[in-house]
Amino acid sequence: MREDRNSNAKAMKGKMDPERRQSLIQQGKALKESLAQLEDELESLQDSLQHEGQLLPNLAHPSVPVGGEEAAIEVASVGEQRTFDFDIRDHLQLGQELDCIDFDTAAEVSGSKFVYLKRAAALLELALVNYAMQKVVSKGFVPMMTPDLVRESVLEKCGFQPRGTETQVYSVQDSPLCLTGTAEVPLGAMYMDQILAEEQLPIKMAGFGHCFRTEAGAGGSASRGLYRVHQFSKVEMFVVCTPQQSEALLEDLADLEKEIFSELGLHFKILDMPSGDLGAPAYRKYDIEAWMPGAQRYGEISSASNCTDYQSRRLNIRYRPNATDAADAAPANGSKQKAKKVPTEFVHTLNATACAVPRMIVAILENFQQADGSVVIPEALQPYMGNMSVITAP
């Protein structure tokens, strides 16, 4: 119908008798009205298709263990649990005694699960962010400061559910915008509706953003304090690549996370997560859990996921593979022949957390506490804290 409309517009050019022109005008109006109706119907159908597509999770890697969280496979363990010859304090007690974590005031100002970080804890957040960003940039990632608000449709295309009783997303009333729960979302949308050249891939980005989560359904002692809050800061890595590159890049991301947490002196384990814990977008996911002495348990501090083409299909991110030698070669008879464009394919996307600040603070305070209540700052962070080496009470 668009072709008919264009033909009608071309036919209007030039001289013609009034009756013929009037007939074309009437045809043009009818085509315009019909096309507008069809475009509305198409938009509605596309919205319905998008909704139905969101109900389907990604496929899982053949090596992914089947089952719930208990079926996770430990693929590596780094360091050892520290032994203490004094009574261990948890991060809440340490934060109160060091006067650097204040949940009570935040509860009066914003509500439960919000926090003021002050003094050394505020400096520790900035140090962690700067250390993590410098580390990933040295590995070829482009640093980004991302929007904290995105369109609801973008969240949906990235595999998140902004509506429903169990949603983790804060929506802005009377607005199509939502607060992001991770910089993965605005980073992924950077290339929405684009066709990339194969030479551009892989694209590696690292975004600093504020994360907002309702934490609906979360509770219990495992969620106390900084471990689960409504607002926090995070450095997130995001990769756009070809399908042939994604599995190797997942291993690279996990290795980089391992390097970061090893340099910070933490004891942690890397888990190959089972099918029941992948979430909708992930094809394969590694979680990193650090030992947290105050809680006497391991707690998740990071993850790395290969989402294959799950997000790119919804975000419509494609790339055009390089033409083969055969396609570029001239015919045997020597005649010139224009090479045909290679069909586009969907890219693969991956994401990984370089530093989720609150849980890193939990791990650092609890693992590096001393008998007198002070906390030794990991050596890798000291240059980012004015060469402060120990956190003491003011």
Side-chain angles (χ1 to χ4, degrees):
M1 186 166 288
R2 289 188 179 120
E3 185 177 349
D4 291 341
R5 181 192 60 184
N6 293 337
S7 298
N8 176 268
K10 288 180 181 178
M12 292 281 289
K13 297 176 181 178
K15 294 182 179 181
M16 65 187 74
D17 61 76
E19 290 184 2
R20 173 62 177 161
R21 183 175 296 279
Q22 188 60 36
S23 174
L24 288 173
I25 290 173
Q26 293 302 320
Q27 289 177 21
K29 288 181 178 180
L31 285 168
K32 182 178 179 181
E33 292 173 1
S34 298
L35 184 60
Q37 182 178 349
L38 284 175
E39 286 175 338
D40 288 343
E41 291 176 6
L42 176 61
E43 184 178 356
S44 176
L45 287 170
Q46 287 175 331
D47 289 343
S48 298
L49 179 62
Q50 183 73 240
H51 175 74
E52 294 300 321
Q54 289 161 11
L55 303 178
L56 299 173
N58 200 349
L59 299 173
H61 188 282
S63 299
V64 165
V66 177
E69 189 175 353
E70 69 286 348
I73 296 175
E74 182 177 318
V75 296
S77 179
V78 178
E80 296 180 353
Q81 293 181 20
R82 178 186 167 191
T83 57
F84 295 85
D85 56 6
F86 56 88
D87 290 338
I88 301 172
R89 302 170 174 85
D90 67 12
H91 74 280
L92 286 172
Q93 184 180 351
L94 287 163
Q96 184 176 18
E97 293 177 359
L98 295 170
D99 193 25
C100 63
I101 298 175
D102 185 352
F103 275 97
D104 293 337
T105 303
E108 293 294 326
V109 174
S110 304
S112 63
K113 292 188 181 295
F114 287 93
V115 64
Y116 280 102
L117 298 179
K118 56 184 183 179
R119 305 183 191 277
L123 294 176
L124 189 55
E125 166 157 341
L126 295 173
L128 283 163
V129 169
N130 278 285
Y131 161 75
M133 190 63 84
Q134 291 289 338
K135 173 63 70 173
V136 299
V137 167
S138 73
K139 303 293 185 179
F141 286 79
V142 176
M144 310 276 291
M145 306 295 283
T146 60
D148 292 331
L149 286 162
V150 298
R151 297 183 187 278
E152 181 180 312
S153 59
V154 171
L155 271 169
E156 291 174 338
K157 290 173 182 178
C158 288
F160 296 88
Q161 298 297 330
R163 302 295 177 190
T165 56
E166 294 299 311
T167 183
Q168 296 295 312
V169 177
Y170 285 106
S171 298
V172 179
Q173 189 173 3
D174 300 323
S175 167
L177 299 175
C178 300
L179 288 165
T180 58
T182 170
E184 170 193 343
V185 176
L187 289 175
M190 274 281 295
Y191 293 95
M192 181 170 61
D193 295 324
Q194 292 190 35
I195 298 176
L196 306 169
E198 185 173 353
E199 292 80 8
Q200 294 176 258
L201 305 177
I203 296 170
K204 298 180 179 181
M205 300 173 282
F208 169 77
H210 300 102
C211 307
F212 301 87
R213 301 181 184 181
T214 66
E215 298 297 354
S221 60
S223 300
R224 292 181 67 241
L226 288 173
Y227 191 80
R228 202 177 294 279
V229 289
H230 289 312
Q231 175 185 340
F232 61 96
S233 301
K234 183 158 68 102
V235 177
E236 184 77 2
M237 298 177 282
F238 195 89
V239 180
V240 179
C241 66
T242 69
Q244 295 75 26
Q245 296 168 332
S246 65
E247 290 202 39
L249 282 165
L250 178 63
E251 303 302 321
D252 290 346
L253 289 171
D255 287 344
L256 180 49
E257 289 176 326
K258 182 179 177 181
E259 181 178 334
I260 290 171
F261 304 130
S262 296
E263 286 187 6
L264 293 176
L266 299 177
H267 163 50
F268 58 92
K269 56 185 181 179
I270 303 175
L271 304 174
D272 192 354
M273 299 308 291
S275 56
D277 200 59
L278 290 180
Y283 173 70
R284 192 173 197 179
K285 182 176 75 158
Y286 294 124
D287 276 4
I288 294 183
E289 296 186 352
W291 177 246
M292 298 182 175
Q296 286 294 293
R297 68 178 182 87
Y298 289 93
E300 181 189 342
I301 58 170
S302 183
S303 65
S305 301
N306 182 1
C307 297
T308 61
D309 60 358
Y310 183 91
Q311 293 174 324
S312 65
R313 286 180 179 275
R314 290 155 176 79
L315 291 166
N316 190 30
I317 309 174
R318 298 170 176 266
Y319 80 103
R320 193 177 300 282
N322 291 328
T324 62
D325 292 338
D328 290 336
N333 61 11
S335 63
K336 292 184 177 181
Q337 181 177 338
K338 187 176 179 180
K340 292 183 179 179
K341 282 189 175 181
V342 179
T344 60
E345 297 180 19
F346 288 105
V347 300
H348 279 194
T349 62
L350 302 93
N351 63 81
T353 301
C355 175
V357 170
R359 294 187 183 183
M360 292 302 297
I361 292 178
V362 172
I364 288 170
L365 293 182
E366 294 186 0
N367 279 285
F368 299 110
Q369 62 181 294
Q370 306 299 301
D372 63 359
S374 64
V375 175
V376 174
I377 299 170
E379 188 174 344
L381 296 179
Q382 291 177 18
Y384 302 95
M385 294 190 67
N387 293 316
M388 184 190 302
S389 59
V390 181
I391 301 173
T392 57

